[in-house]
């Protein structure tokens, strides 16, 4: 994922150090957070909540 320096600083500040990439949204543990491309959000099941959007990315929370 290519992002500019300002966005990278914000992500580094807010994301935990143990953040990791997963191959599928279904691999994200319950009550965890993840960044996805905004164009993927219409495909999300109802068990996910969109917290916010930064440029073309969205922060989601896995609810169940």
């Amino acid at each position: 994922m290519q992002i500019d320096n300002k966005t990278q600083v914000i992500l580094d500040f807010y994301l935990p150090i143990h953040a990791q990439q997963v191959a599928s949204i279904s691999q994200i543990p319950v009550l965890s957070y993840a960044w996805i491309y905004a164009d993927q959000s219409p495909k999300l099941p109802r068990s996910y909540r969109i917290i916010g959007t930064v440029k073309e990315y969205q922060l989601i929370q896995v609810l169940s």
Side-chain angles (χ1 to χ4, degrees):
M1 151 169 78
Q2 296 293 325
I3 54 177
D4 61 58
N5 288 336
K6 181 178 177 182
T7 304
Q8 184 65 51
V9 169
I10 293 169
L11 294 177
D12 289 344
F13 181 79
Y14 285 105
L15 289 178
I17 293 171
H18 61 274
Q20 59 184 312
Q21 287 187 333
V22 294
S24 170
I25 292 173
S26 63
Q27 294 177 303
I28 304 167
V30 173
L31 299 178
S32 294
Y33 297 88
W35 287 100
I36 63 168
Y37 286 109
D39 62 353
Q40 293 177 322
S41 63
K43 302 173 192 170
L44 290 176
R46 293 183 183 191
S47 60
Y48 296 85
R49 178 171 65 123
I50 297 171
I51 305 295
T53 302
V54 175
K55 296 197 177 192
E56 68 269 14
Y57 304 99
Q58 290 182 318
L59 179 62
I60 62 168
Q61 181 184 25
V62 181
L63 300 175
S64 62

